[in-house]
Amino acid sequence: MSDPQMSARPQTAGIFLELRKRLQTGLLIVRKDVARSPADVTVTGGTSSLSVQTPGGELSISLPAGVTFERGSCIPTPAGESSEDELHFRLRIDVARSTDEEAFDSLIETLRAKETYCFHCQGCKTRLLEDRAFKRVLPLPNGNWNAIVDDWCCHPDPFANKKLLPREKDCLLGDTFLLLSRDGSCEQTLTEDVSPVSSGDGQEPKKSCQRLALISCKSCSSVLGESVSPETLKLYMTQVVVEPAVGDRKAESSLNRSVFLEKVIAARLMHLSNTLSTFHFSVQTPDGKAFLLVWLLNIDSITASIPEMYIRGEGSVSALPPHSPSPRAARALKLLYTSCSHPGIQQRDLSVATCLNSLREKKEHFGERIPCLNRTLCSDGPAQILR
């Protein structure tokens, strides 16, 4: 019988691989529990695959299409402070050009005018809105557009105290939400509950009495968005799944909640960084309170992390849970993030020393390598990303 304390511990990555497509380079990290010296490690490549031979056996890592290992390019490199526990290798890769190599699945890229869609609750997969066809699908201004109106207008703000709302059969796309008009079917699948929310600033008690009309799924009670007016719904992109209307097809049920959040937020970070040329963000609650600062370091990484137990043959690679390290290398956004201690922290410039201290604290807390932590970005509740 296995020790329950042992099974509760996080699995240590025996092999970690990070490839950079734009630089066409890679870093391979092998723990000394897997191989004692560089002579014990042999790296070869095939068609979209990388094979790592160690005393524990041969491990084949699948690479994305068009990415191949450059034969004979893998060489040992100093491991720095980690030299007692790890072996580091540098390698080179060849990357075939592809028209969709920078594409992440994104709700923004999915919706089109004059096509029919169904909206599902991401939590229970219940169909919320059926056969919605939009005459117009329009992007909203960036979330901070009100703050710069005075810089562009030579007269008083014409948009003061006005909301941008959709007309009938419109779909307006914000940074992290959609605005839709209500119809009769909403009463069958959605509920509305008015809830008090804090202002995000404890020093202004008058604002703490704000009330938010939350929209929830009638089947599972998950919060899906807000009611911004009697005729308009605001749905959070992290809470709904949008798919083309094809028969009675249900939403993808195998998509893990954490994986879904990763895909949505990665797509938003990619879109915002490309369109706004900014790489620092704050993650906020619906009431505007920032709880996480995020810096986008690079968008071209391909990573794979394999636990020691699978390298030694103690477990089946095919039996890995959906969100566990896998022998298939996948695209990843490399992020630096830290918690906000107060609402105004997003305006502060953090020094290199502060960032390094943040990384060191997270490494000590989790007891694992920082590259393996890049997957988790935000909590399981609705959130919005602002510049």
Side-chain angles (χ1 to χ4, degrees):
M1 185 174 179
S2 62
D3 185 350
Q5 292 184 349
M6 290 293 291
S7 59
R9 294 176 185 172
Q11 297 178 355
T12 303
I15 291 179
F16 177 80
L17 174 70
E18 180 181 3
L19 307 177
R20 296 290 305 277
K21 293 180 69 174
R22 291 182 179 177
L23 301 178
Q24 297 192 4
T25 61
L27 172 65
L28 175 67
I29 299 176
V30 181
R31 288 189 61 85
K32 289 191 174 179
D33 295 338
V34 176
R36 298 302 303 171
S37 70
D40 295 331
V41 180
T42 303
V43 179
T44 57
T47 303
S48 296
S49 67
L50 184 76
S51 297
V52 182
Q53 181 75 44
T54 65
E58 183 175 2
L59 177 71
S60 180
I61 303 174
S62 298
L63 304 179
V67 179
T68 56
F69 168 67
E70 187 176 302
R71 183 176 300 180
S73 66
C74 184
I75 58 174
T77 188
E81 296 180 356
S82 304
S83 58
E84 293 185 3
D85 302 316
E86 300 170 349
L87 301 173
H88 288 201
F89 301 85
R90 289 288 177 183
L91 54 90
R92 295 193 60 80
I93 57 173
D94 293 321
V95 181
R97 292 192 175 275
S98 173
T99 56
D100 60 347
E101 63 181 0
E102 298 298 335
F104 269 98
D105 292 334
S106 169
L107 187 63
I108 295 292
E109 300 300 327
T110 300
L111 293 176
R112 296 287 186 271
K114 299 181 180 179
E115 294 189 12
T116 306
Y117 298 95
C118 290
F119 290 71
H120 303 260
C121 171
Q122 202 280 322
C124 66
K125 311 303 181 291
T126 297
R127 184 174 291 193
L128 304 171
L129 305 175
E130 295 192 51
D131 300 336
R132 281 293 189 107
F134 303 112
K135 289 184 178 179
R136 301 189 303 174
V137 178
L138 304 173
L140 287 168
N142 174 258
N144 295 330
W145 69 275
N146 296 88
I148 62 173
V149 168
D150 290 338
D151 297 331
W152 290 91
C153 295
C154 58
H155 47 78
D157 182 2
F159 306 105
N161 301 320
K162 293 183 179 179
K163 295 181 179 180
L164 296 178
L165 300 178
R167 298 177 182 175
E168 186 179 359
K169 294 189 177 182
D170 277 356
C171 177
L172 303 185
L173 302 173
D175 287 343
T176 57
F177 60 87
L178 306 92
L179 293 181
L180 309 172
S181 59
R182 289 177 181 260
D183 62 15
S185 65
C186 296
E187 305 301 325
Q188 308 298 321
T189 57
L190 303 175
T191 61
E192 182 174 332
D193 181 35
V194 178
S195 174
V197 296
S198 63
S199 64
D201 187 350
Q203 297 179 354
E204 298 186 31
K206 292 183 179 180
K207 291 186 178 181
S208 62
C209 297
Q210 294 179 1
R211 302 179 72 83
L212 194 65
L214 297 177
I215 298 297
S216 302
C217 173
K218 186 172 283 190
S219 297
C220 68
S221 300
S222 296
V223 174
L224 305 174
E226 309 165 26
S227 176
V228 296
S229 77
E231 297 82 22
T232 305
L233 294 175
K234 178 180 181 179
L235 299 179
Y236 305 135
M237 291 184 183
T238 55
Q239 305 302 107
V240 295
V241 178
V242 183
E243 293 187 341
V246 181
D248 295 328
R249 192 178 96 179
K250 293 185 177 181
E252 180 59 54
S253 59
S254 62
L255 195 58
N256 178 278
R257 171 65 178 167
S258 297
V259 175
F260 174 80
L261 278 178
E262 285 182 7
K263 286 190 172 184
V264 171
I265 294 175
R268 300 315 302 135
L269 291 177
M270 282 277 292
H271 176 79
L272 293 174
S273 64
N274 288 334
T275 57
L276 304 177
S277 297
T278 186
F279 305 97
H280 53 92
F281 307 88
S282 67
V283 182
Q284 301 182 354
T285 58
D287 59 6
K289 183 178 180 180
F291 64 89
L292 200 65
L293 294 180
V294 178
W295 288 263
L296 184 58
L297 302 182
N298 67 62
I299 62 174
D300 65 329
S301 289
I302 301 170
T303 64
S305 182
I306 295 86
E308 285 184 37
M309 62 179 297
Y310 295 102
I311 299 172
R312 295 173 181 163
E314 298 175 12
S316 170
V317 169
S318 62
L320 283 171
H323 206 54
S324 294
S326 163
R328 179 179 295 277
R331 287 191 58 199
L333 300 186
K334 201 169 193 179
L335 307 175
L336 172 65
Y337 62 93
T338 187
S339 300
C340 298
S341 58
H342 57 81
I345 191 172
Q346 64 266 33
Q347 301 299 328
R348 188 180 72 183
D349 292 331
L350 299 184
S351 64
V352 174
T354 302
C355 295
L356 292 177
N357 286 335
S358 175
L359 287 171
R360 190 175 297 109
E361 289 173 2
K362 295 187 185 304
K363 182 175 180 180
E364 292 173 355
H365 175 71
F366 286 93
E368 289 194 80
R369 295 200 53 77
I370 288 299
C372 301
L373 304 178
N374 288 330
R375 297 180 61 81
T376 303
L377 176 57
C378 78
S379 66
D380 198 41
Q384 52 183 324
I385 306 169
L386 299 179
R387 290 180 59 192

